[in-house]
Amino acid sequence: MGAPGSGGATADLLVLDHVTKRYGSLAAVQDLSLRVRAGERHALIGPNGAGKSTLFQMVAGALPSTSGRILFAGRDVTGLPEHRRARLGISRTYQQSSVFDGLCVARNVSIAVQRHVGRSRSVLRRASSETGVWQGVDECLARVGLESWADTPAGELSHGQRRQLEVALALATRPRLLLMDEPTAGMSAQESARLIDFVAGLPDDLTILIVEHDMSVVFSLATRVSVLEAGRLLADGAPEEIRDSAAVQKAYLGPAGTGNVGGRP
């Protein structure tokens, strides 16, 4: 790997430069360097304990790195907290639901839109008169296919629809990089298939970094795959390269790349 930010026909949107995260003597992530190019659907895979979630939280700014640098759009964001990175264009979804069940779908998104434009919850009563806010809500719901459920309480959505709503909340901040943490967790096969179609339909200029255990999802969506093992980068390449890698097959995927990672079938 060359100097961060150098080379390549497509610009590197995110660069991890020899990043390490230690908890005392334990290194959850060890001297890891990685690039995510603009517009990529980039998957992180590996067994439980490989360091995926730790790395994800360091990219988002929820965890500080022990050493190394994190660059976003050419800017060193290593020391910036999560809310500052969000303003620069990094947004995320979570494994656990982060929606307000008692509010309708549109009101959930309106809160996210208002936060992005700098308004507080205290002005929610006036939001209906603010055309720009509700235009933003309509755009987000249309992008995730939930416009028909705008007035539905979030608590009445299916599990898959809740995931779509969480993506709408993330898109409300108009991110350049969307971090998706195990988006198909708890989904049925049908819901996972719908999510694959949904994510595949997101705008090409939106870069996505996804942690996912379901290999069918990974190989359906990813344009690039990075494999972590014990906090280190084991392999990084196109999906077909990862599927055919003897080292990756031995460690995780099994023959023909169909095995599980992290215990999920």
Side-chain angles (χ1 to χ4, degrees), residues 1-7 12 15-18 33-35 69 71 74:
M1 178 173 288
S6 65
D12 296 321
V15 176
L16 306 180
D17 182 23
H18 297 285
S33 293
L34 181 69
R35 302 172 184 273
R69 296 189 304 158
L71 293 87

Side-chain angles (χ1 to χ4, degrees), residues 69-92:
R69 296 189 304 158
I70 299 175
L71 293 87
F72 178 69
R75 174 174 176 173
D76 190 334
V77 299
T78 309
L80 295 184
E82 188 168 9
H83 71 276
R84 292 278 303 279
R85 297 189 198 193
R87 290 185 180 277
L88 291 175
I90 300 177
S91 189
R92 66 184 295 194

Side-chain angles (χ1 to χ4, degrees), residues 148-167:
S148 298
W149 285 268
D151 297 323
T152 302
E156 296 180 9
L157 298 177
S158 69
H159 183 67
Q161 288 173 325
R162 288 174 70 88
R163 290 294 190 184
Q164 290 173 253
L165 176 54
E166 288 162 6
V167 174

Side-chain angles (χ1 to χ4, degrees), residues 21 37 39 48 51 58 69 74 77 115 119 124 149 154 159 164 186 218 223 241 243 245 256:
K21 178 60 180 180
R37 293 180 176 179
N48 293 331
M58 285 195 291
R69 296 189 304 158
V77 299
R115 284 177 175 170
R119 298 185 177 96
L124 278 175
W149 285 268
H159 183 67
Q164 290 173 253
V218 169
T223 56
E241 294 177 304
R243 192 193 302 269
S245 166

Side-chain angles (χ1 to χ4, degrees), residues 64-190:
S65 57
T66 304
S67 61
R69 296 189 304 158
I70 299 175
L71 293 87
F72 178 69
R75 174 174 176 173
D76 190 334
V77 299
T78 309
L80 295 184
E82 188 168 9
H83 71 276
R84 292 278 303 279
R85 297 189 198 193
R87 290 185 180 277
L88 291 175
I90 300 177
S91 189
R92 66 184 295 194
T93 65
Y94 299 84
Q95 289 187 41
Q96 301 299 321
S97 179
S98 58
V99 305
F100 295 102
D101 287 347
L103 298 181
C104 71
V105 167
R107 185 53 61 89
N108 266 276
V109 179
S110 75
I111 293 174
V113 172
Q114 289 181 85
R115 284 177 175 170
H116 177 61
V117 298
R119 298 185 177 96
S120 68
R121 290 190 196 179
S122 63
V123 298
L124 278 175
R125 299 187 194 91
R126 298 197 298 272
S128 60
S129 66
E130 297 177 9
T131 303
V133 169
W134 290 103
Q135 283 180 341
V137 170
D138 291 341
E139 290 173 5
C140 289
L141 292 181
R143 290 174 76 179
V144 303
L146 285 179
E147 57 266 55
S148 298
W149 285 268
D151 297 323
T152 302
E156 296 180 9
L157 298 177
S158 69
H159 183 67
Q161 288 173 325
R162 288 174 70 88
R163 290 294 190 184
Q164 290 173 253
L165 176 54
E166 288 162 6
V167 174
L169 300 180
L171 294 179
T173 65
R174 300 187 181 276
R176 297 177 65 184
L177 173 64
L178 176 61
L179 309 175
M180 302 186 73
D181 193 0
E182 297 193 27
T184 66
M187 284 189 180
S188 66
Q190 287 183 332

Side-chain angles (χ1 to χ4, degrees), residues 196 200 214-223 239 243:
I196 290 172
D214 189 326
M215 291 298 97
S216 65
V217 174
V218 169
F219 290 120
S220 294
L221 286 176
T223 56
R243 192 193 302 269

Side-chain angles (χ1 to χ4, degrees), residues 169-245:
L169 300 180
L171 294 179
T173 65
R174 300 187 181 276
R176 297 177 65 184
L177 173 64
L178 176 61
L179 309 175
M180 302 186 73
D181 193 0
E182 297 193 27
T184 66
M187 284 189 180
S188 66
Q190 287 183 332
E191 287 177 323
S192 292
R194 285 195 294 268
L195 182 127
I196 290 172
D197 291 340
F198 156 62
V199 174
L202 290 174
D204 291 340
D205 60 353
L206 176 64
T207 306
I208 300 175
L209 181 61
I210 180 171
V211 168
E212 181 56 61
H213 280 165
D214 189 326
M215 291 298 97
S216 65
V217 174
V218 169
F219 290 120
S220 294
L221 286 176
T223 56
R224 193 167 188 87
V225 180
S226 298
V227 186
L228 273 61
E229 180 184 34
R232 296 185 181 275
L233 189 64
L234 174 66
D236 177 56
E240 57 272 18
E241 294 177 304
I242 297 302
R243 192 193 302 269
D244 295 339
S245 166

